[in-house]
């Protein structure tokens, strides 16, 4: 082992102030040249982005990719350019524009947070992490991100990309999630006082474009000389992860009902729980074992000449797979007690999550 390799393989500690000097300048230099051009982001070295845009983008980006978020972000801003506009909007409208982005509790919290900031803070976001944490839907990561990116405060912003970068920089062998507190401490140590907002975004960009989960582009990395995983020659080994249990599968029967005029029966899901407050095709309870025909007939919301459609609809949520058998029927009555009848041309105005749109597509294809 030569001297350079020996130096690079010396583990860094939270008290190693020299490591901060080594990391922040080259990272910011790299960011100045290679920052991603994102619709919610200010260019490097310019005044921070308006807090409303930072908050909106960070809520949308939770568990969702940049590519998926960008068009939703633009639509939200076009419809509600100020937080006061979003606060005044009906929740149904917010859920409808959000539909397809997933994790719908985020949309409900987004609306509640807009109301709180508008009513209690005169539409101005607080700039301190502790105050931000008290707002609906804002956790430690989002509070730090808003504080750093919108107000340029030295907050330690740690998302999945940053976890990977720091795990590799220090060759942390404790697996996730147990290592998270140590990563947070190291992130706090590494965060510079100058340009903390740009630094936070640079760390996220580095993880998203260079320090990839597989096939890391170490030759292009501005921090490769300081990276312990690179010195060891095995960056893809980090971060270590505890094996996740296999996702279970849940089952339900969806009842696709149409009237003579082609209208489809929808109903609203309970406010609390998965897909809370969204519209759905009426369905049986969701459970851990499949439904047989007798059970499915008994669970139907209306008496009708039901016909099972061939092939199940499949969807995957964060914690489980979902298989839905679709039964279809034409209903002659005008009964609105089971939900709301909506013509196909107006389904775009409804807050329908992706799994329900899959069911509707299957029902419409079977009837065509």
């Amino acid at each position: 082992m030569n001297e350079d390799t020996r130096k690079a393989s010396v583990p860094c500690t939270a008290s190693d102030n020299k490591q901060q000097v080594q990391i922040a300048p080259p990272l910011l230099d790299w960011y100045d040249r290679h920052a991603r051009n994102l619709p919610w982001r200010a260019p490097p070295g310019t005044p921070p982005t308006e807090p409303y845009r930072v908050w909106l983008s960070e809520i949308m980006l939770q568990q969702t990719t940049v590519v998926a978020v960008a068009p939703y972000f633009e639509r939200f801003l076009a419809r509600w350019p100020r937080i006061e506009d979003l606060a005044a909007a009906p929740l149904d409208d917010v859920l409808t524009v959000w539909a397809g982005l997933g994790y719908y509790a985020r949309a409900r919290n987004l609306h509640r947070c807009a109301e709180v900031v508008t009513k209690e803070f005169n539409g101005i976001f607080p700039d301190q992490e502790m105050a931000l944490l008290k707002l609906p839907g804002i956790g430690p990561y989002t509070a730090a991100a808003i504080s750093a990116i919108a107000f340029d405060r030295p907050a330690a912003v740690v998302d999945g990309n940053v976890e990977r970068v720091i795990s590799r920089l220090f060759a942390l062998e404790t697996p996730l999630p147990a290592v998270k507190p140590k990563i947070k401490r190291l992130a706090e140590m590494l965060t510079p006082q100058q340009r903390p907002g740009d630094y936070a975004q640079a760390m996220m960009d580095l993880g998203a474009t260079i320090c990839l989960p597989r096939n890391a582009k170490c030759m292009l990395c501005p921090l490769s000389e300081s990276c312990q995983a690179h010195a060891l020659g095995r960056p893809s080994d980090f971060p270590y992860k505890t094996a996740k249990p296999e996702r279970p599968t849940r089952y339900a029967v969806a009842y696709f009902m149409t009237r003579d005029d082609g209208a489809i029966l929808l109903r609203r899901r309970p406010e609390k729980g998965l897909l809370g407050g969204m519209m759905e095709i009426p369905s049986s309870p969701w459970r851990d074992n499949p439904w047989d025909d007798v059970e499915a007939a008994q669970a139907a919301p209306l008496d009708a000449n039901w016909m099972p459609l061939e092939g199940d609809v499949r969807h995957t949520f964060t914690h489980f797979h979902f298989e839905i058998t679709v039964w279809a029927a034409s209903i002659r009555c005008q009964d609105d007690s089971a939900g709301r009848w909506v013509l196909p041309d107006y389904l775009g105005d409804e807050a329908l999550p992706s799994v329900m749109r899959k069911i509707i597509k299957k029902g419409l294809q079977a009837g065509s």
Side-chain angles (χ1 to χ4, degrees):
M1 181 181 296
N2 61 38
E3 184 178 355
D4 289 341
T5 303
R6 211 166 37 244
K7 287 180 180 177
S9 62
V10 175
C12 302
T13 67
S15 61
D16 189 355
N17 292 327
K18 185 178 179 181
Q19 181 73 3
Q20 178 174 336
V21 175
Q22 292 172 333
I23 287 175
L27 182 63
L28 287 169
D29 287 345
W30 172 85
Y31 182 70
D32 288 342
R33 298 190 303 273
H34 301 290
R36 290 181 292 177
N37 182 18
L38 302 176
W40 49 81
R41 176 181 285 181
T46 63
T49 304
E50 200 275 320
Y52 174 55
R53 297 169 68 94
V54 176
W55 163 73
L56 180 60
S57 66
E58 289 297 340
I59 298 298
M60 288 184 169
L61 286 165
Q62 293 170 9
Q63 305 293 323
T64 312
T65 65
V66 166
V67 172
V69 164
Y72 283 90
F73 179 82
E74 299 284 14
R75 285 197 290 270
F76 262 74
L77 273 190
R79 187 155 183 179
W80 303 295
R82 303 176 308 142
I83 194 168
E84 294 88 348
D85 302 323
L86 181 58
L91 177 58
D92 261 6
D93 289 356
V94 176
L95 290 172
T96 298
V97 178
W98 188 279
L101 197 54
Y103 303 92
Y104 295 95
R106 292 181 299 167
R108 296 193 299 276
N109 284 330
L110 188 85
H111 190 252
R112 284 200 295 269
C113 186
E115 291 177 326
V116 171
V117 172
T118 298
K119 294 176 181 176
E120 298 183 15
F121 295 91
N122 296 316
I124 301 172
F125 275 92
D127 61 356
Q128 299 288 341
E129 285 183 77
M130 293 306 296
L132 288 163
L133 281 168
K134 297 177 181 178
L135 297 175
I138 294 184
Y141 162 77
T142 307
I146 295 171
S147 182
I149 299 169
F151 299 104
D152 212 28
R153 295 190 177 279
V157 183
V158 182
D159 68 352
N161 287 315
V162 177
E163 286 180 345
R164 184 166 59 256
V165 171
I166 291 180
S167 292
R168 290 173 177 176
L169 279 172
F170 295 90
L172 302 178
E173 296 185 353
T174 303
L176 288 169
V179 75
K180 283 178 179 283
K182 184 170 185 178
I183 290 175
K184 180 69 171 180
R185 290 194 298 272
L186 290 169
E188 291 170 348
M189 180 273 291
L190 292 171
T191 300
Q193 296 295 313
Q194 302 297 320
R195 299 179 63 189
D198 280 350
Y199 173 85
Q201 293 174 106
M203 285 288 278
M204 290 188 279
D205 276 13
L206 189 72
T209 64
I210 300 295
C211 195
L212 303 172
R214 298 180 181 85
N215 301 318
K217 302 175 183 178
C218 296
M219 295 299 292
L220 302 177
C221 181
L223 305 183
S224 60
E225 293 183 2
S226 302
C227 179
Q228 304 308 306
H230 175 62
L232 294 170
R234 48 189 184 92
S236 294
D237 288 351
F238 300 91
Y240 291 168
K241 295 182 180 179
T242 303
K244 293 182 179 179
E246 185 176 348
R247 283 192 183 106
T249 300
R250 301 185 71 185
Y251 303 87
V253 180
Y255 301 94
F256 185 80
M257 290 171 271
T258 57
R259 289 191 316 204
D260 291 342
D261 62 357
I264 299 165
L265 186 67
L266 303 179
R267 73 179 181 189
R268 188 178 301 280
R269 290 184 59 79
E271 288 295 326
K272 294 184 178 180
L274 189 62
L275 308 181
M278 303 293 287
M279 300 302 291
E280 70 167 355
I281 297 295
S283 68
S284 67
W286 302 6
R287 70 184 196 186
D288 296 333
N289 55 297
W291 293 74
D292 62 35
D293 289 350
V294 173
E295 293 175 314
Q298 292 173 344
L302 295 173
D303 290 331
N305 185 21
W306 292 103
M307 178 185 68
L309 302 184
E310 184 177 352
D312 290 345
V313 170
R314 291 179 171 82
H315 190 80
T316 296
F317 292 102
T318 306
H319 300 298
F320 65 92
H321 300 295
F322 192 28
E323 293 189 11
I324 311 102
T325 302
V326 182
W327 284 28
S330 179
I331 309 295
R332 294 188 177 277
C333 71
Q334 301 294 316
D335 185 5
D336 291 331
S337 62
R340 184 166 78 241
W341 295 95
V342 179
L343 291 168
D345 287 347
Y346 296 97
L347 289 172
D349 299 329
E350 300 293 333
L352 287 161
S354 297
V355 63
M356 296 303 157
R357 293 188 183 275
K358 290 181 182 179
I359 294 168
I360 291 171
K361 181 179 180 180
K362 186 173 186 64
L364 290 174
Q365 288 175 339
S368 60

